[in-house]
Each structure stands twice: as C-alpha cells, then as structure tokens.
Amino acid sequence: MSSTLLEVTRAAHEEVERLERLIVKDFQNEPASNKDRLFQSHRVRLMIDTISATTEKLIEIYEDKDGARKDEIAALGGQTATGTNVFSAFYDRLKEIREYHRKHPAARVVDVDEDFEALLKEEPQVEFSGEEAMGRYLDMHELFHLYVNSKFGEPIEYSAYLDTFAHLEKISRRLKFSKQYREYLEKLLEYLVYFFERTEPLQDLDRIFLKVESEFEECWTDKKVEGWEQGGQENGHHPQQHTVIDLDYYGTVEELVEAGPERLKEALAALGLKSGGTVQQRAERLFLTKYTPLDKLDKKHFAKGSRSSEQNSAAAALQMDGSKDIAFLEAKITKLCDLLEDTIVRTKENVEKKQALTYEEMEAEREEEETQADTESDDEDQQIYNPLKLPMGWDGKPIPYWLYKLHGLGQEFKCEICGNQSYWGRRAFERHFKEWRHQHGMRCLGIPNTKNFNEITSIKEAQELWEKIQERQGVNKWRPDLEEEYEDREGNIYNKKTYADLQRQGLI
C-alpha cells in the first residue's frame, strides 16, 4: 500500500511536519547543564539533517523526471488507454486494499508519535577527549608541541601558547613560507573546525566561511589583510630571499660582512646565486637582492644550472599564490578563534588552576563537578511546591512557615521618617530605629528619638504624638539633658548629660 508514489509523498510531508514540531518541543525544554545543552543541539541538528534529506527526496518526486507521478495521478483519475473509467479505478484500488489486509490480518497500527517522542530522550554519541571535558575546554597539546618544535615557533609554556596561537599576524612573514608552517595551519584549522562542529552543531560553518572568503578577497585586493599588507612580499622582494639572512637588519655591505662567509654562502645558494669569491664579494652580491628583485638581476650573478630570470619570475608568481593561500588559512583560523573566544579563555583558566593542584585534587574536583551537574539536573526536574510564596532559603527551598511568621521575613516595612526607606523583615525594621538615618530624620523634625516613638514611621503620627507628650508634660518640663537618649558603639543607652560626661572623659 505504502509503496505508491503519492503515499510516499504524503508520508514524507508528515515526517517533516512531525520533526518540525519535535524541534519546537525540544527547544521549549531549557537544558540544565552544558551536557544537556550539547545533547539537545545534536538532536536538533540530526532532525534538521533528516528534514533536509527528506525535502530533497520530495523535490525529486515533484520534478517527476520519469513521469511516474503524473502516471499515478492519471491512474487514480480512472484514465486508461481506452478512456476514463472512475468506477473501475475505485474498485481496483479497493481490491488492492482488501488483498493487503487479507495477507496481513495481524498488522497493527503503529503509533508514529511514540517513535518520534523517543528522539527527545536520546543522548547522541559525541566523542570528546578527557582534556576537552564534554566541550568545555580545548585540547591543544599536540598543536602546542608542533609549535614549540618548529622554526616559526618559540619555547613557551602551554598556558602562554593559548594566548598566542590565535594571533598569527605576530609571526614573522619570512617564516610563513615553509612547508612546516603550512602543515601546522592545516592541522590547527582541522582541529578547530572539528571542535566547533561538535560543540556548536547548529551553526552553519559553510556560510560563515563563505562570508570570511568574501571579506578576505576584498581585503586582499586592497592589500589590507593584517600581516600581508604588501601582498606576501617584504620590501617588494621574494620572501625566500630572507630564509637564511634577513637583509632588513643590515644597512650596508660592511655590516653584512659580519654575518660570516658560511651564512653568506648558504643564503646565496638558497637564492640560486653564485656563492664563491671572498667574503666582501659574497656580501656585495647578496646585498644586491635587498633592493632589486631576483627576476631583474643580471644573469651573471646566477650560478650555473640555477633558475633563469624567467624561472625566478614564475617562481615568484607561484609564491605569491602560495602566500594568498596561507593568508586565507589564517583568516579562517582567526574567525574560528573569535567564535571560540570564551572557550579559549575558559581553557586557559582551567590550565592555570590545574598547575596549582595535585593529581588527587584534580580527580576529586572532576568527580565533584560531575556529581554537582547530575544533582542540578535532578533538582531542575522537580518543581518546588510553594503555595504560600515563602522566601527561598540558602538551599533553594522555601523557608519554614514558623520562621517566616517569627521574623517577618519577606515582609516589607517602609519608614516615612527615613525618606520612605524600605526594610525587609521584622528584625531589620526594629533595628533601624536605632540607626543614624532614623535618628537624623527625627532631629530634622525637631523631635527627640526616644522609646515613645518606636514603631512610629509616619511623620504626621510622630508630630501628633510629640504634641500630646508636650501637652501632658508641658513644654518647659522637657529636659533634654536627662531625657534625650544617646547610644554608644557597644549599644549602651545614656541620657545626653551622661553621654557628654563620658565622652569628655574619653571613656566612650
């Protein structure tokens, strides 16, 4: 039954719709840890690839190059060689369905939703090394050894390498034309691409590289590529001229003589020039190449059997193409390093932390991180029951109700005398009456800060209470020296006179 082309088309459309709904449902679940986020991304990537493959099949069916779909539609409409007979087509189809169920009487209806829902529970197999820790860190040790053991590298520590490997423009251009450097770039790019595809499967890396290529071509044409501003040449000459001796460090022939006869001979041989003669003659011959390209030098300076000027010119052009390829590899690596900037920083911090730990401490910390990740995942799955909307405690759970009632935690108290300042909790509210803010507010109202005004937070109520006290005691009966209270740093309460006496004696 399902072998018909139209049925295959219908099933393909249904599969695409189911997968789209499944992707939406998966994204509605917030991952609790980095591991869950990684698995979710790979599941979605797998479903997107399946949708793409199914869509390509549908396109082939709708293009109908062999005419099979057109013939099947015509057959459903009852079109035959003798004419159109709808009833005949209907009964033929009914006979085919009955024959199918007669041959498969025990066939059950398959719930496709169950199979698709199972995809949400799958944990894709993603391979990471122990150093990468499920994509949290980079594992650059192999590339680090290649760097420190190369001519273009330098002997540095691994943590320092993590800072420098992304800055390829700092490497001298004269060291970039070796086969060793190109192989290093290719391996570095291969690892970064492989790591990025495993940690960010939903990113379209091909589209990113297309954008990098277009920007690179524009900058290369304008000679604005960082480190390659002169199109792969240094001082307008072939880069290979500086593989042995960098002429930029020598201003005269006399300075070049100090390089020694052997180094001069090696440098001349590398350029295909005559390497004989005295040290002075060798220096003069090599110094000519500082301001004159090889293809413009007189043939008499070249050794027998070496390249002619035309061959050197072709080699220079070939080298220019090579420099563009190297620069493009660097541009790709730089882009990937920008995308993985957070991971690079996290890797360096992890390396520096491990340098201060023993092996046992590192193993204990790794087990603790794994246990903590599993615990957090389990806690996130459980919904916290909090119908009274109590404040959360240190453990992430609601505090006991008796503690909430006892201390008034979570309750907001406002004091107009303090400038409408908010105090959260009963204890903080009671303590604020002795603080400077409240005392200053009372002084501004011309009212003494006594026990009579505790629990009074309204300016109007404080003024009315002060008037009642004055009426009851009389204005002249108020004795601030004896009744106005002061508090020292230890919380002791004194009247104004006692406080002033103790202060003069230096006791408080």
Side-chain angles (χ1 to χ4, degrees):
M1 286 176 59
S2 61
S3 60
T4 61
L5 198 59
L6 293 179
E7 179 63 21
V8 171
T9 305
R10 185 206 60 77
H13 279 292
E14 183 181 9
E15 182 181 10
V16 170
E17 291 177 2
R18 288 181 185 274
L19 288 173
E20 288 176 350
R21 288 196 295 268
L22 207 62
I23 290 173
V24 174
K25 187 174 182 179
D26 201 355
F27 274 133
Q28 288 175 345
N29 299 324
E30 188 69 24
S33 62
N34 180 67
K35 182 178 179 181
D36 294 337
R37 183 197 66 80
L38 196 65
F39 286 162
Q40 183 190 70
S41 299
H42 279 276
R43 282 196 303 268
V44 173
R45 179 77 245 180
L46 181 61
M47 288 187 279
I48 291 175
D49 292 340
T50 305
I51 290 174
S52 299
T54 306
T55 305
E56 290 177 359
K57 293 179 181 178
L58 284 172
I59 292 174
E60 292 180 0
I61 292 174
Y62 283 119
E63 287 178 351
D64 198 20
K65 294 181 179 179
D66 56 355
R69 181 172 179 272
K70 183 178 179 181
D71 294 341
E72 188 168 338
I73 293 175
L76 287 177
Q79 296 180 6
T80 61
T82 58
T84 303
N85 192 341
V86 179
F87 294 102
S88 175
F90 171 77
Y91 285 112
D92 289 342
R93 189 68 172 169
L94 179 62
K95 180 180 178 182
E96 181 183 350
I97 294 173
R98 287 176 175 174
E99 186 68 19
Y100 174 84
H101 287 287
R102 187 183 64 79
K103 291 181 179 179
H104 306 88
R108 64 182 183 87
V109 179
V110 179
D111 189 0
V112 184
D113 290 333
E114 293 182 0
D115 297 337
F116 278 89
E117 289 292 336
L119 292 174
L120 295 178
K121 301 178 182 179
E122 288 186 0
E123 294 187 355
Q125 297 294 328
V126 188
E127 295 182 359
F128 287 102
S129 65
E131 187 71 21
E132 290 174 336
M134 291 301 294
R136 294 182 62 190
Y137 312 117
L138 291 167
D139 185 3
M140 306 283 292
H141 288 86
E142 182 179 352
L143 295 162
F144 166 68
H145 289 301
L146 288 176
Y147 178 81
V148 296
N149 294 314
S150 63
K151 293 182 180 179
F152 57 85
E154 53 184 340
I156 56 177
E157 294 185 355
Y158 182 60
S159 58
Y161 171 73
L162 293 173
D163 277 335
T164 60
F165 83 92
H167 303 285
L168 299 170
E169 70 278 359
K170 294 183 179 179
I171 299 176
S172 178
R173 196 189 314 170
R174 62 189 177 85
L175 301 174
K176 294 183 177 181
F177 294 94
S178 62
K179 182 180 179 182
Q180 188 182 30
Y181 181 73
R182 188 184 185 93
E183 291 177 351
Y184 167 77
L185 289 183
E186 291 174 350
K187 290 183 179 179
L188 177 59
L189 179 62
E190 180 182 0
Y191 173 74
L192 293 177
V193 168
Y194 181 50
F195 182 85
F196 189 79
E197 289 176 345
R198 287 178 294 161
T199 55
E200 300 292 340
L202 297 181
Q203 293 281 356
D204 191 350
L205 197 56
D206 293 335
R207 181 177 296 178
I208 293 174
F209 280 160
L210 282 175
K211 185 177 180 181
V212 171
E213 184 177 3
S214 62
E215 293 176 354
F216 172 79
E217 291 291 342
E218 183 179 351
C219 294
W220 183 264
T221 304
D222 298 337
K223 296 183 179 180
K224 293 182 180 179
V225 179
E226 188 174 3
W228 301 87
E229 286 80 2
Q230 297 181 6
Q233 293 181 337
E234 242 171 353
N235 299 330
H237 296 84
H238 192 278
Q240 193 177 350
Q241 291 176 226
H242 308 292
T243 54
V244 180
I245 296 178
D246 191 353
L247 296 179
D248 288 342
Y249 295 104
Y250 301 94
T252 62
V253 177
E254 288 71 20
E255 294 178 359
L256 191 58
V257 170
E258 297 177 0
E262 294 301 325
R263 289 189 63 194
L264 291 172
K265 181 179 179 180
E266 186 179 355
L268 290 169
L271 298 174
L273 301 174
K274 293 179 180 179
S275 56
T278 62
V279 179
Q280 181 72 21
Q281 291 173 341
R282 294 177 185 178
E284 292 175 353
R285 194 178 305 120
L286 182 60
F287 197 76
L288 288 174
T289 62
K290 182 173 182 178
Y291 300 106
T292 308
L294 287 177
D295 55 341
K296 295 184 179 180
L297 282 178
D298 195 338
K299 294 182 180 180
K300 66 179 182 180
H301 296 296
F302 291 93
K304 291 182 178 179
S306 64
R307 294 174 178 169
S308 63
S309 59
E310 292 80 6
Q311 290 174 328
N312 280 310
S313 178
L318 182 62
Q319 191 72 18
M320 282 290 293
D321 294 337
S323 64
K324 183 177 180 181
D325 294 339
I326 294 173
F328 184 51
L329 287 175
E330 291 180 350
K332 286 184 175 181
I333 293 172
T334 303
K335 181 61 177 180
L336 285 173
C337 291
D338 291 340
L339 296 173
L340 297 172
E341 182 179 2
D342 294 339
T343 306
I344 295 173
V345 173
R346 193 163 52 242
T347 303
K348 185 185 175 184
E349 293 175 351
N350 181 57
V351 170
E352 292 175 347
K353 183 176 69 175
K354 288 199 301 184
Q355 289 175 348
L357 300 176
T358 62
Y359 176 76
E360 290 76 12
E361 291 173 337
M362 286 189 289
E363 286 296 314
E365 185 175 357
R366 182 182 61 81
E367 293 177 359
E368 183 180 355
E369 288 179 355
E370 292 179 354
T371 305
Q372 184 177 3
D374 295 338
T375 305
E376 290 177 356
S377 179
D378 295 339
D379 293 342
E380 290 290 338
D381 294 338
Q382 299 178 357
Q383 293 184 355
I384 299 175
Y385 181 69
N386 187 15
L388 298 178
K389 298 182 180 180
L390 299 173
M392 308 303 285
W394 62 270
D395 56 353
K397 297 180 180 179
I399 64 172
Y401 182 72
W402 63 267
L403 186 63
Y404 173 79
K405 295 297 291 183
L406 179 64
H407 297 285
L409 297 177
Q411 295 181 355
E412 181 184 9
F413 298 88
K414 284 189 175 183
C415 181
E416 187 180 1
I417 298 173
C418 298
N420 289 324
Q421 181 73 17
S422 295
Y423 298 94
W424 291 89
R426 181 71 190 178
R427 181 176 298 177
F429 175 67
E430 292 176 353
R431 188 170 58 246
H432 102 278
F433 288 107
K434 299 179 181 180
E435 294 179 351
W436 175 87
R437 182 189 295 272
H438 187 79
Q439 293 176 356
H440 178 71
M442 294 292 286
R443 290 194 190 100
C444 292
L445 296 175
I447 302 174
N449 186 28
T450 62
K451 294 180 180 179
N452 295 325
F453 295 92
N454 282 356
E455 302 292 333
I456 301 298
T457 59
S458 172
I459 295 176
K460 183 178 180 180
E461 291 180 0
Q463 291 174 341
E464 291 176 353
L465 179 59
W466 176 233
E467 291 176 358
K468 291 180 180 179
I469 293 174
Q470 286 179 325
E471 290 176 359
R472 186 171 62 250
Q473 297 180 351
V475 177
N476 296 328
K477 291 182 180 181
W478 165 250
R479 294 174 296 175
D481 292 345
L482 299 177
E483 297 183 10
E484 189 172 357
E485 295 180 346
Y486 286 80
E487 181 181 1
D488 62 5
R489 293 181 179 179
E490 297 179 357
N492 300 316
I493 306 298
Y494 306 97
N495 57 35
K496 182 177 181 180
K497 183 177 182 302
T498 304
Y499 184 84
D501 291 342
L502 293 175
Q503 194 175 35
R504 281 196 298 269
Q505 296 174 22
L507 298 178
I508 57 174

